[in-house]
Amino acid sequence: MIKRIRQFWRAIKAKLTVEDKVFIDKYLNDEEQKLFFAMRVYDQRHVLNVAYTAPKIIEQNQYENIDCNLLIRACLLHDIGRTAKDICLMDKVISVLLGKFLPQKSKQWANRAEKLKLNKSKSFWQKRRYALYIYYNHARLGAEKLNELGLNDIAEIIRYHHDKVDCKACSELQILCLADSLN
């Protein structure tokens, strides 16, 4: 729970630096940057932290045949399924808490939102259900956006970044998952 409190505090204080923007320009093209900047600033900060952590993991471990460019791009884009228009910080906090204390029920509410095709123009409670849907499905939704742009290699990595990763998974996915869990 302490980790989650730290994440919340970092989200409140999140901002991007000039160096961050140079880093983003180095790895993401214009279309990819549109996806990146569609996220809220705290999610942008998070994915940047993940991208900065990934090379450190490579250095500390004996990974071979890593496509570093692919890995960094996947890190920067792994949460694009959560856009600013879909989920706010309080929705994210509520989703995390419900997932922790009422996991089955929160997944049922999220599934109901998908079946009803809820969107943010609905009632207060329907918006919260929609936020749960985004929370649980952002990896798949982000992968679908990337597939539409023909970025299938990155899409396949981020699609599974919240699944249990086995030793047979590609190294880039393993590193992304570890870097994400550390941030």
Coordinates of all heavy atoms in Angstrom, one line a residue, residues 35 80-81 114 133 137-152 154-156 158-159:
L35 N -0.3 9.8 -29.6 CA -0.8 8.8 -28.6 C -0.2 9.0 -27.2 O -0.9 9.0 -26.2 CB -0.5 7.4 -29.1 CG -1.1 6.9 -30.4 CD1 -0.5 5.6 -30.8 CD2 -2.6 6.8 -30.2
I80 N -1.0 3.7 -23.4 CA -1.8 4.6 -24.2 C -3.2 4.2 -24.3 O -4.0 5.0 -24.8 CB -1.2 4.7 -25.6 CG1 -1.2 3.4 -26.3 CG2 0.2 5.4 -25.6 CD1 -1.0 3.4 -27.8
G81 N -3.6 3.1 -23.8 CA -5.0 2.7 -23.7 C -5.7 3.5 -22.6 O -7.0 3.5 -22.6
E114 N -18.3 -2.6 -20.5 CA -18.0 -3.0 -21.9 C -19.2 -3.5 -22.7 O -19.5 -3.1 -23.8 CB -16.9 -4.1 -21.9 CG -16.5 -4.5 -23.3 CD -15.5 -5.6 -23.4 OE1 -15.4 -6.4 -22.4 OE2 -14.7 -5.6 -24.4
Y133 N -13.4 -0.2 -16.6 CA -13.2 -0.9 -17.9 C -11.9 -0.5 -18.5 O -11.1 -1.4 -18.9 CB -14.4 -0.6 -18.9 CG -14.1 -1.0 -20.3 CD1 -14.1 -2.4 -20.6 CD2 -13.8 -0.1 -21.2 CE1 -13.9 -2.8 -21.9 CE2 -13.5 -0.5 -22.5 CZ -13.6 -1.8 -22.9 OH -13.3 -2.2 -24.2
N137 N -8.6 -2.9 -19.0 CA -8.4 -3.3 -20.4 C -7.5 -2.3 -21.2 O -7.4 -2.5 -22.4 CB -9.8 -3.3 -21.2 CG -10.7 -4.4 -20.6 OD1 -10.5 -5.5 -20.9 ND2 -11.6 -4.0 -19.8
H138 N -6.8 -1.5 -20.5 CA -6.0 -0.5 -21.2 C -4.8 -1.1 -22.1 O -4.5 -0.6 -23.1 CB -5.4 0.6 -20.3 CG -4.3 0.1 -19.4 ND1 -4.5 -0.5 -18.2 CD2 -3.0 0.2 -19.6 CE1 -3.3 -0.8 -17.7 NE2 -2.4 -0.4 -18.5
A139 N -4.3 -2.3 -21.6 CA -3.3 -2.9 -22.4 C -3.8 -3.4 -23.8 O -3.2 -3.1 -24.8 CB -2.7 -4.1 -21.6
R140 N -5.0 -4.0 -23.8 CA -5.6 -4.4 -25.0 C -6.0 -3.3 -25.9 O -5.7 -3.2 -27.1 CB -6.8 -5.3 -24.7 CG -7.5 -5.8 -26.0 CD -8.8 -6.6 -25.7 NE -9.7 -6.0 -24.8 CZ -10.6 -5.1 -25.2 NH1 -10.7 -4.7 -26.4 NH2 -11.5 -4.6 -24.3
L141 N -6.6 -2.2 -25.3 CA -7.0 -1.1 -26.0 C -5.8 -0.3 -26.7 O -5.9 0.1 -27.8 CB -7.8 -0.1 -25.1 CG -9.1 -0.7 -24.5 CD1 -9.6 0.2 -23.4 CD2 -10.1 -0.9 -25.6
G142 N -4.7 -0.2 -25.9 CA -3.5 0.4 -26.4 C -3.0 -0.4 -27.6 O -2.5 0.2 -28.6
A143 N -2.9 -1.7 -27.5 CA -2.4 -2.6 -28.5 C -3.3 -2.4 -29.8 O -2.8 -2.4 -30.9 CB -2.4 -4.1 -28.1
E144 N -4.6 -2.3 -29.6 CA -5.5 -2.1 -30.8 C -5.2 -0.8 -31.5 O -5.1 -0.7 -32.7 CB -6.9 -2.1 -30.4 CG -7.4 -3.5 -30.0 CD -8.8 -3.6 -29.3 OE1 -9.4 -2.5 -29.2 OE2 -9.2 -4.7 -28.9
K145 N -4.9 0.3 -30.7 CA -4.5 1.5 -31.4 C -3.2 1.4 -32.2 O -3.1 1.9 -33.3 CB -4.3 2.6 -30.3 CG -5.6 3.1 -29.6 CD -5.3 4.1 -28.6 CE -6.6 4.5 -27.8 NZ -6.3 5.5 -26.8
L146 N -2.3 0.7 -31.6 CA -1.0 0.5 -32.3 C -1.1 -0.4 -33.5 O -0.5 -0.1 -34.5 CB 0.1 -0.1 -31.3 CG 0.5 0.9 -30.2 CD1 1.3 0.2 -29.1 CD2 1.2 2.1 -30.7
N147 N -1.9 -1.4 -33.4 CA -2.2 -2.2 -34.6 C -2.8 -1.4 -35.7 O -2.5 -1.6 -36.9 CB -3.1 -3.4 -34.3 CG -2.4 -4.5 -33.6 OD1 -1.2 -4.8 -33.8 ND2 -3.1 -5.2 -32.7
E148 N -3.7 -0.5 -35.4 CA -4.3 0.4 -36.4 C -3.2 1.2 -37.2 O -3.4 1.6 -38.3 CB -5.3 1.3 -35.8 CG -6.6 0.6 -35.4 CD -7.5 1.5 -34.6 OE1 -7.3 2.7 -34.6 OE2 -8.5 1.0 -34.0
L149 N -2.1 1.5 -36.5 CA -1.0 2.3 -37.1 C 0.0 1.4 -37.7 O 1.0 1.9 -38.2 CB -0.4 3.2 -36.0 CG -1.2 4.3 -35.4 CD1 -0.4 5.0 -34.3 CD2 -1.7 5.3 -36.5
G150 N -0.2 0.1 -37.7 CA 0.7 -0.9 -38.2 C 1.9 -1.1 -37.3 O 2.9 -1.7 -37.8
L151 N 1.8 -0.8 -36.1 CA 2.9 -1.0 -35.1 C 2.7 -2.3 -34.4 O 2.6 -2.3 -33.1 CB 3.0 0.2 -34.2 CG 3.3 1.6 -34.8 CD1 3.1 2.7 -33.8 CD2 4.7 1.6 -35.4
N152 N 2.6 -3.4 -35.1 CA 2.3 -4.7 -34.5 C 3.3 -5.2 -33.5 O 2.9 -5.9 -32.6 CB 2.0 -5.7 -35.7 CG 1.0 -5.2 -36.6 OD1 0.0 -4.5 -36.2 ND2 1.1 -5.6 -37.9
I154 N 5.2 -3.5 -31.4 CA 5.0 -2.9 -30.1 C 3.7 -3.3 -29.5 O 3.6 -3.5 -28.3 CB 5.1 -1.3 -30.2 CG1 6.4 -0.9 -30.8 CG2 4.8 -0.7 -28.9 CD1 6.5 0.6 -31.1
A155 N 2.7 -3.4 -30.4 CA 1.3 -3.8 -29.9 C 1.4 -5.2 -29.2 O 0.8 -5.3 -28.1 CB 0.4 -3.9 -31.1
E156 N 2.1 -6.1 -29.7 CA 2.2 -7.4 -29.1 C 2.9 -7.4 -27.8 O 2.6 -8.2 -26.9 CB 2.8 -8.4 -30.1 CG 1.9 -8.9 -31.2 CD 0.5 -9.3 -30.7 OE1 0.4 -10.3 -29.9 OE2 -0.5 -8.7 -31.1
I158 N 2.9 -4.6 -25.6 CA 2.1 -4.0 -24.6 C 0.8 -4.7 -24.3 O 0.2 -4.5 -23.2 CB 1.9 -2.5 -24.9 CG1 0.9 -2.3 -26.1 CG2 3.2 -1.7 -25.1 CD1 0.3 -0.9 -26.1
R159 N 0.3 -5.4 -25.3 CA -0.9 -6.2 -25.1 C -0.8 -7.1 -23.8 O -1.8 -7.3 -23.1 CB -1.3 -7.1 -26.3 CG -2.5 -7.9 -26.1 CD -2.8 -8.8 -27.3 NE -2.7 -8.1 -28.6 CZ -3.7 -7.4 -29.2 NH1 -4.8 -7.3 -28.5 NH2 -3.5 -6.8 -30.3

